[in-house]
């Protein structure tokens, strides 16, 4: 059903261009429904769509195209919204079932039963997530249901809208009550001002409509480790395929042909991910050639580096996408390791951007933007606490600051491992990559571990904190001539 909820201006010269949002509830969509929509878009000449961090789909239309699509929208069993003021999608880890998790009891049938219960469109963000995976975020929703060790029971963490204030529900929630409890809490959270989480729980308990159970243990999530979610991968006796696009755009032509191949292969549904990519499961080994031919036809590249895949950006935000591409290129030039880290970029005020390291636009000095760089506790992207790493970072300095924070992460991890292991009597404790700044004219190195006694720079002063008048102590080259470089196999005794 179409809900006219305002519009998002696409550009100043074309006032009637609007974004359409299709909520793919739980990140799953039937091949038939998707193909029907794509065929209609193709007939109108709409060439590309995007996917969002909450597993929804976006495309742009003008007013004439919107009128042509209204009948199609009315006949699709999908929540569809026009404009920027849309209801958030229900996010789930269903996409990872069988490939990214180690479930105790949570299976495909449980996801389907829960998602089928949503016969209404929530106004708040809802996450339904398996605790044994680290692919879908735990806490980016307002109602965050996380599986427990007890069959068909879930933890609930409430994050009040437009805040980072959480309330942990004291009881576990039964699977069959997730949708009705969400409906009960939906309006109450949207009207939130003085509401207290404990009062909400008491009110829900007093209705006697829901089945609650005391937890055996407090919630403890799995250690974050982003699985590689692109390309062909085997599981059981089948394959799954992940498709990522660097510019976040998927052509309608490719998606149409993909749906046709799914129908030929008897694949009934597709999955979108919180990383703005697509996953197709249950590909038979004998059908591999069909999929290879599809990828060849549309020139779909696979197997991007993990340090390009581990980013979370705001939806439909070209500014953050451009920043990500610049930083990824910077990382690639220096061959930077980012394993077990993920990065989020917030140039708008989204509260749902997820990451171990969060880059937020803070203010401007004239035409120059500045950024805050923060990281979560223990660099766990599911942590609810952010710690400031550096403030008022210029665009030019962002790459270097991210290198510093990566170095901080790996040094901390090394120290944790050393604390757990027996002390070494002799020899080298660790070998790792170290980044320094080197003069491009004479190759002299500036290393914060040594400082620069010639110019009165103390040990520990980072390169970005040096005055703009700093120059190479050997040849006098300006600070801008000192470029970051990597010293490989750096030994620490």
């Amino acid at each position: 059903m179409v809900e006219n909820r305002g519009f998002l201006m696409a550009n100043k010269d074309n006032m009637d261009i609007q974004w359409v949002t299709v909520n793919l509830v739980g990140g799953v969509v039937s091949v038939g429904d998707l193909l029907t929509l794509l065929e209609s878009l193709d007939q109108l000449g709409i060439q590309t769509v995007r996917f969002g961090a909450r597993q929804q789909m976006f495309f742009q239309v003008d007013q004439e195209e919107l009128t042509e699509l209204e009948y199609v929208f009315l006949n699709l069993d999908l929540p569809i919204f026009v404009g920027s003021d849309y209801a958030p999608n229900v996010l789930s880890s269903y996409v990872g079932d069988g490939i990214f998790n180690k479930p105790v009891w949570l299976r495909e049938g449980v996801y389907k039963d829960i998602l089928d219960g949503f016969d209404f469109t929530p106004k708040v963000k809802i996450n339904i997530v398996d605790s044994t995976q680290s692919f879908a975020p735990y806490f980016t929703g307002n109602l965050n249901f996380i599986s427990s060790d007890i069959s068909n029971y879930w933890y609930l963490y409430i994050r009040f809208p437009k805040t980072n204030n959480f309330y942990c529900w004291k009881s576990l929630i039964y699977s069959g009550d997730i949708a009705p409890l969400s409906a009960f809490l939906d309006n109450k959270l949207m009207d939130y001002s003085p509401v207290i989480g404990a009062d909400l729980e008491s009110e829900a308990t007093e209705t006697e409509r829901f089945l609650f159970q005391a937890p055996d243990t407090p919630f403890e999530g799995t250690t974050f480790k982003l699985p590689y979610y692109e390309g062909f991968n085997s599981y059981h006796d089948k394959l799954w395929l992940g498709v990522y696009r660097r510019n976040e755009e998927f052509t309608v032509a490719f998606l149409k042909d993909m749906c046709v191949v799914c129908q030929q292969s008897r694949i009934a549904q597709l999955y979108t991910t919180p990383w703005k990519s697509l996953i197709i499961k249950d590909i038979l080994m004998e059908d591999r050639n069909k999929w290879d031919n599809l990828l060849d036809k549309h020139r779909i590249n696979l197997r991007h580096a993990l340090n390009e895949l581990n980013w979370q950006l705001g939806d439909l935000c070209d500014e953050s996408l451009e920043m990500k591409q610049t930083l990824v290129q910077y990382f690639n030039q220096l061959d930077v390791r980012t394993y077990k880290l993920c990065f989020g970029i917030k140039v708008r005020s989204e509260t749902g951007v997820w990451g171990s390291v969060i880059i937020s636009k803070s203010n401007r000095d004239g035409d120059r933007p500045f950024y805050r760089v923060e990281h979560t506790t223990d660099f766990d992207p599911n942590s609810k606490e952010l710690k400031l790493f550096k403030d008022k970072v210029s665009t030019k300095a962002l790459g270097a600051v991210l290198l510093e924070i990566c170095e901080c992460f790996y040094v901390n991890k090394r120290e944790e491992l050393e604390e757990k292991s027996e002390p070494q009597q002799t020899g080298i404790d660790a070998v790792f990559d170290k980044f320094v700044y080197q003069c491009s004219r004479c190759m002299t190195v500036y290393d914060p571990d040594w400082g620069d006694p010639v110019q009165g720079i103390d040990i520990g002063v980072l390169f970005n904190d040096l005055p703009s008048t700093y120059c190479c102590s050997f040849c006098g080259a300006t600070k801008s001539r000192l470029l970051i470089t990597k010293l490989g196999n750096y030994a620490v005794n």
Side-chain angles (χ1 to χ4, degrees):
M1 180 175 67
V2 177
E3 295 189 15
N4 290 300
R5 301 167 65 86
F7 69 92
L8 176 65
M9 185 170 64
N11 57 64
K12 294 180 180 179
D13 300 322
N14 199 347
M15 297 291 288
D16 65 346
I17 296 292
Q18 304 180 59
W19 283 105
V20 174
T21 303
V22 183
N23 278 356
L24 308 176
V25 180
V28 60
V29 59
S30 78
V31 169
D33 280 347
L34 182 59
L35 182 57
T36 298
L37 177 57
L38 292 168
E39 287 175 339
S40 300
L41 298 184
D42 190 38
Q43 290 172 7
L44 291 173
I46 297 170
Q47 297 182 349
T48 61
V49 303
R50 293 187 181 189
F51 296 98
R54 293 198 62 80
Q55 301 173 289
Q56 68 276 63
M57 186 172 83
F58 304 105
F59 56 88
Q60 284 184 304
V61 295
D62 60 29
Q63 192 57 50
E64 183 178 345
E65 291 166 338
L66 181 59
T67 302
E68 293 285 335
L69 286 169
E70 284 183 353
Y71 180 77
V72 178
F73 291 168
L74 290 169
N75 286 277
L76 285 174
D77 188 23
L78 295 169
I80 300 176
F81 307 90
V82 178
S84 59
D85 185 21
Y86 56 85
N89 193 33
V90 176
L91 178 148
S92 84
S93 57
Y94 187 0
V95 58
D97 180 51
I99 57 178
F100 295 143
N101 62 346
K102 298 178 181 178
V104 178
W105 52 266
L106 183 54
R107 297 289 193 277
E108 180 179 20
V110 179
Y111 281 115
K112 284 185 173 180
D113 289 343
I114 293 171
L115 295 175
D116 285 346
F118 282 89
D119 55 0
F120 68 102
T121 301
K123 294 187 283 294
V124 298
K125 297 176 182 178
I126 297 174
N127 289 14
I128 302 169
V129 179
D130 183 357
S131 63
T132 70
Q133 56 79 56
S134 60
F135 186 61
Y138 294 148
F139 301 118
T140 57
N142 301 118
L143 299 177
N144 301 284
F145 297 94
I146 307 169
S147 65
S148 74
D149 291 337
I150 301 175
S151 179
N152 271 298
Y153 278 89
W154 302 71
Y155 298 98
L156 170 58
Y157 283 81
I158 296 177
R159 178 173 62 84
F160 293 101
K162 299 181 181 179
T163 76
N164 203 34
N165 299 328
F166 281 82
Y167 173 74
C168 176
W169 206 265
K170 304 304 180 187
S171 304
L172 299 179
I173 315 300
Y174 179 62
S175 291
D177 286 335
I178 286 180
L181 181 61
S182 297
F184 177 81
L185 295 173
D186 193 38
N187 283 325
K188 297 180 185 297
L189 286 185
M190 288 304 293
D191 295 336
Y192 165 75
S193 50
V195 178
I196 298 174
D199 293 340
L200 286 175
E201 185 166 3
S202 297
E203 190 176 344
T205 302
E206 289 170 3
T207 66
E208 299 183 351
R209 291 165 44 194
F210 309 109
L211 188 61
F212 298 133
Q213 177 168 323
D216 289 342
T217 58
F219 167 67
E220 186 173 340
T222 189
T223 301
F224 175 77
K225 175 183 165 185
L226 180 65
Y228 193 85
Y229 57 86
E230 197 194 18
F232 285 101
N233 301 271
S234 60
Y235 74 117
H236 308 307
D237 58 345
K238 299 179 182 178
L239 299 169
W240 63 267
L241 169 64
V243 183
Y244 156 85
R245 303 302 289 156
R246 180 169 285 158
N247 63 359
E248 297 185 356
E249 292 186 345
F250 289 75
T251 66
V252 170
F254 165 66
L255 295 176
K256 273 181 57 186
D257 287 349
M258 183 182 66
C259 289
V260 171
V261 174
C262 283
Q263 290 178 331
Q264 294 172 350
S265 306
R266 297 184 179 180
I267 295 173
Q269 58 192 29
L270 301 172
Y271 305 85
T272 57
T273 82
W275 303 90
K276 303 186 180 181
S277 56
L278 281 177
I279 283 181
I280 304 97
K281 299 184 192 178
D282 297 325
I283 299 174
L284 299 177
M285 296 291 185
E286 55 264 34
D287 289 334
R288 170 69 185 264
N289 285 340
K290 295 179 183 177
W291 292 94
D292 283 332
N293 291 336
L294 170 68
L295 299 174
D296 291 344
K297 177 182 176 181
H298 293 278
R299 311 297 193 267
I300 302 297
N301 184 35
L302 299 178
R303 295 300 177 187
H304 293 82
L306 185 60
N307 68 1
E308 183 173 350
L309 301 178
N310 60 349
W311 292 77
Q312 284 273 312
L313 312 178
D315 291 332
L316 308 177
C317 183
D318 290 336
E319 182 180 352
S320 58
L321 179 60
E322 182 179 349
M323 182 186 297
K324 170 203 166 177
Q325 291 170 340
T326 300
L327 292 170
V328 167
Q329 183 180 22
Y330 185 76
F331 280 6
N332 287 339
Q333 288 174 344
L334 295 171
D335 201 19
V336 178
R337 178 178 174 85
T338 62
Y339 180 60
K340 292 188 178 180
L341 288 172
C342 63
F343 302 86
I345 298 178
K346 293 171 59 175
V347 299
R348 299 192 295 253
S349 59
E350 300 100 334
T351 55
V353 173
W354 189 50
S356 317
V357 178
I358 302 295
I359 306 156
S360 307
K361 181 183 281 188
S362 54
N363 51 42
R364 285 180 175 269
D365 179 9
D367 293 330
R368 297 174 56 203
F370 284 92
Y371 301 89
R372 289 170 60 88
V373 178
E374 301 168 293
H375 67 87
T376 54
T377 303
D378 296 327
F379 291 91
D380 176 3
N382 283 307
S383 170
K384 300 182 285 293
E385 180 183 354
L386 283 173
K387 298 181 177 181
L388 179 64
F389 184 76
K390 186 159 291 192
D391 202 0
K392 295 184 179 178
V393 180
S394 68
T395 304
K396 185 177 179 180
L398 264 177
V401 171
L402 292 186
L403 287 182
E404 291 178 35
I405 206 167
C406 289
E407 183 73 2
C408 176
F409 170 71
Y410 289 113
V411 169
N412 286 345
K413 290 299 179 187
R414 175 177 57 81
E415 290 173 351
E416 289 175 8
L417 290 174
E418 288 176 351
E419 290 175 0
K420 294 178 182 178
S421 63
E422 294 183 3
Q424 301 292 319
Q425 298 300 317
T426 60
I428 293 174
D429 291 331
V431 177
F432 61 95
D433 292 331
K434 181 177 181 178
F435 294 93
V436 296
Y437 283 81
Q438 189 170 38
C439 179
S440 59
R441 181 188 291 172
C442 68
M443 301 300 119
T444 298
V445 167
Y446 176 79
D447 185 343
D449 290 343
W450 294 93
D452 188 346
V454 174
Q455 300 188 59
I457 305 298
D458 293 335
I459 291 173
V461 176
L462 300 176
F463 182 81
N464 288 320
D465 294 332
L466 295 174
S468 59
T469 54
Y470 180 80
C471 59
C472 174
S473 294
F474 185 77
C475 72
T478 61
K479 183 181 178 183
S480 63
R481 297 292 298 271
L482 274 73
L483 305 177
I484 195 162
T485 188
K486 179 173 72 174
L487 299 180
N489 297 332
Y490 181 79
V492 177
N493 289 317

